[in-house]
Amino acid sequence: MIKFFAILSLALVCVFGASVKEKIQDKKETLESAKKLETQLNKKLEELASDIIKGEQSVKNTASQIDELAKQIGELEDSAKDANSELDKLTSQNGNLIKDQKNMEQRLIKIISEDFAYDLIAPNEYLESEESIIANEVLDKLNLVMRDEFKKIAKNYESTVNLIKSQSDKIETIKFSLREFKQKQAKLKELQNKQTRNLADLKQDKEIYSKKLAKIQDQQDELRKTLEQLQILAKKESQKTPTKAPNIASKGDIKQIGSSYQTSNVKKYNGEKTIAPLDNFSVKQKFGDYVDPIYNIKIFNESVVLRSNELDAKVKSVLPGTVVFAKDTAILEKVIIIENTNGIHTIYAHLNKIAPTIQVGSKVKKGYVIGRVNQDLTFEVTQKSYHIDPLEMISLR
């Protein structure tokens, strides 16, 4: 009984152990997939567009290689069938020739041994008698017969050996051709699998890219709506724009997207340079026109995106002023809007923290820490219903 339970326990451990191992493997694959997706999502729009263009070119190149290889395989297919048939035939013939070769070798050995035996029984000095003369003549005749047969078999043996070699060379040539044919078939399969992977990656990249385009528009619409409600920007006529990136436009057909395209009033900044809202950063997205190379859509960026080189970075007010908006939003995360002198408003979006001292009505000085950002800060500047390129205002180090 104890033995039975021990066996049962061992079986359960094996079953559940295998199950746990499979689950761990599934989790690992899921995590790797999620990590890849996160990497793609974090890419800049321009980098992702570049990847998509490269991916499309790779798909075209692979498709061309597949067509060429499929054509070559089609041309070789009939000759491969004939080669297989001839290979079988030659292999069978060579088998028979090798048997003949062995038989001839045995026959030659037998002739040599018999000839040697006849030489042994023939005395060196026969008496000059009638019997001895007859015996010598018989032995001479037998030697002549065996030597003729030896020559004949030797000649046939040489021909057989040469034929075997010739056919063996032909067999190797056919085998080489068949190996080449099989290698091309394997290469075709490899290319087809590569194409399947490329298309899957391209589809995923395009889905992420489309979401990014839609997200840019949603963020701009949300920010403009907030600025209009605060009467910082004048309301403009509602303009219906697609929420999803459309299909690829034909060459030369540039579509326009984004609530701010063309109808945004833009002016140059004429004041003195001021500090940047982040200490250590790079410019991820610039102000102004952006024509994406995938869907051929023109977007006007009313803000800039600054990528912090450190996590949980301090965000500073670039000018002294009064806080007119400070709250969490659905799309832009935490947003702070500060009214500065000369009708300027500075907007800080995608904050992950707002400083406890910051609330509507708070007075802030230049350089005052108003919040923190994990990585990307959206920074926008307006002046009396005009948009200003924030990079014209701040010092870039």
Side-chain angles (χ1 to χ4, degrees):
M1 182 63 71
I2 294 169
K3 189 177 180 182
F4 169 75
F5 281 115
I7 293 169
L8 181 61
S9 300
L10 184 62
L12 288 171
V13 167
C14 291
V15 170
F16 286 108
S19 176
V20 169
K21 190 176 179 182
E22 286 173 4
K23 285 180 181 177
I24 289 171
Q25 184 62 29
D26 288 344
K27 290 286 183 187
K28 187 179 177 184
E29 288 174 0
T30 304
L31 285 171
E32 286 174 356
S33 178
K35 189 176 179 182
K36 182 183 175 186
L37 188 62
E38 184 184 359
T39 302
Q40 288 173 307
L41 284 168
N42 286 336
K43 279 186 178 178
K44 288 194 290 185
L45 200 64
E46 294 88 346
E47 290 174 353
L48 191 54
S50 175
D51 283 353
I52 290 170
I53 291 167
K54 287 176 185 174
E56 286 176 340
Q57 188 58 49
S58 177
V59 166
K60 285 180 185 176
N61 291 342
T62 306
S64 176
Q65 289 174 18
I66 286 172
D67 289 343
E68 179 62 29
L69 206 51
K71 184 181 175 184
Q72 289 176 13
I73 288 172
E75 290 170 355
L76 289 171
E77 208 151 15
D78 290 337
S79 59
K81 286 178 185 175
D82 293 340
N84 268 315
S85 176
E86 190 175 1
L87 181 63
D88 291 340
K89 183 181 174 183
L90 288 172
T91 304
S92 175
Q93 286 177 355
N94 257 17
N96 293 330
L97 286 170
I98 289 167
K99 285 179 185 177
D100 291 343
Q101 180 187 1
K102 286 180 180 177
N103 290 334
M104 282 186 280
E105 285 172 355
Q106 290 172 358
R107 182 65 183 145
L108 288 169
I109 292 167
K110 187 178 178 184
I111 290 170
I112 291 167
S113 61
E114 286 176 352
D115 184 52
F116 180 69
Y118 287 140
D119 285 340
L120 285 176
I121 62 171
N124 292 329
E125 293 180 3
Y126 274 101
L127 295 172
E128 291 295 328
S129 64
E130 187 177 344
E131 290 82 0
S132 65
I133 293 169
I134 293 169
N136 275 328
E137 285 182 359
V138 169
L139 290 173
D140 287 342
K141 288 288 182 185
L142 285 169
N143 276 334
L144 285 172
V145 169
M146 284 188 290
R147 283 169 189 161
D148 287 343
E149 187 176 356
F150 182 87
K151 287 178 183 177
K152 184 178 178 183
I153 293 171
K155 189 176 179 182
N156 288 340
Y157 180 82
E158 187 181 0
S159 299
T160 302
V161 169
N162 289 336
L163 187 57
I164 289 171
K165 186 180 181 304
S166 173
Q167 295 203 153
S168 294
D169 291 344
K170 199 170 184 182
I171 285 170
E172 283 306 310
T173 303
I174 292 169
K175 281 182 178 178
F176 178 80
S177 298
L178 289 172
R179 276 198 299 271
E180 188 180 16
F181 176 68
K182 286 176 183 175
Q183 283 170 358
K184 287 191 176 183
Q185 283 182 318
K187 180 67 175 174
L188 178 62
K189 185 70 178 174
E190 183 186 329
L191 285 172
Q192 287 170 336
N193 290 337
K194 179 186 174 185
Q195 187 75 315
T196 301
R197 291 193 301 271
N198 284 346
L199 288 169
D201 289 345
L202 192 58
K203 183 183 177 185
Q204 188 181 53
D205 283 349
K206 282 189 174 180
E207 285 173 358
I208 292 169
Y209 187 85
S210 298
K211 286 176 184 175
K212 275 181 170 281
L213 284 180
K215 188 178 178 182
I216 288 172
Q217 183 188 345
D218 290 344
Q219 288 176 355
Q220 292 200 156
D221 288 346
E222 177 72 13
L223 195 52
R224 173 167 276 277
K225 184 180 175 183
T226 302
L227 295 173
E228 286 174 354
Q229 286 172 350
L230 294 169
Q231 297 182 341
I232 293 170
L233 287 180
K235 263 193 176 182
K236 55 182 188 174
E237 293 179 12
S238 61
Q239 179 184 5
K240 289 187 179 180
T241 52
T243 55
K244 282 187 178 180
N247 294 329
I248 296 173
S250 59
K251 286 186 179 177
D253 178 17
I254 297 179
K255 298 188 178 183
Q256 296 165 6
I257 188 172
S259 60
S260 60
Y261 183 74
Q262 282 190 338
T263 52
S264 285
N265 295 319
V266 178
K267 67 177 292 187
K268 280 284 206 182
Y269 177 69
N270 297 317
E272 292 182 1
K273 289 274 187 182
T274 185
I275 62 169
L278 296 170
D279 287 333
N280 194 1
F281 66 93
S282 59
V283 179
K284 181 180 175 182
Q285 176 184 296
K286 292 182 179 180
F287 179 85
D289 284 341
Y290 169 74
V291 179
D292 86 88
I294 307 303
Y295 298 109
N296 220 15
I297 298 169
K298 182 175 277 190
I299 301 170
F300 187 87
N301 296 318
E302 295 173 329
S303 58
V304 294
V305 177
L306 307 178
R307 169 155 286 190
S308 172
N309 294 332
E310 54 189 38
L311 296 175
D312 199 32
K314 293 176 182 178
V315 179
K316 301 173 184 177
S317 174
V318 300
L319 293 170
T322 304
V323 177
V324 294
F325 186 91
K327 63 195 261 185
D328 205 347
T329 65
I331 297 174
L332 298 162
E333 299 177 62
K334 293 176 173 60
V335 179
I336 295 174
I337 301 174
I338 299 175
E339 184 178 320
N340 313 106
T341 55
N342 297 324
I344 291 175
H345 286 84
T346 47
I347 301 102
Y348 310 81
H350 289 113
L351 300 168
N352 65 302
K353 291 175 188 172
I354 293 176
T357 54
I358 296 298
Q359 54 188 340
V360 174
S362 298
K363 303 285 184 182
V364 294
K365 294 179 180 179
K366 182 169 101 171
Y368 189 83
V369 177
I370 58 174
R372 289 181 180 269
V373 68
N374 270 336
Q375 194 168 46
D376 291 342
L377 172 70
T378 298
F379 181 48
E380 188 169 330
V381 180
T382 65
Q383 186 178 32
K384 297 177 182 177
S385 287
Y386 286 92
H387 277 89
I388 291 172
D389 182 354
L391 299 183
E392 292 177 358
M393 175 188 285
I394 62 174
S395 297
L396 298 174
R397 289 180 293 173

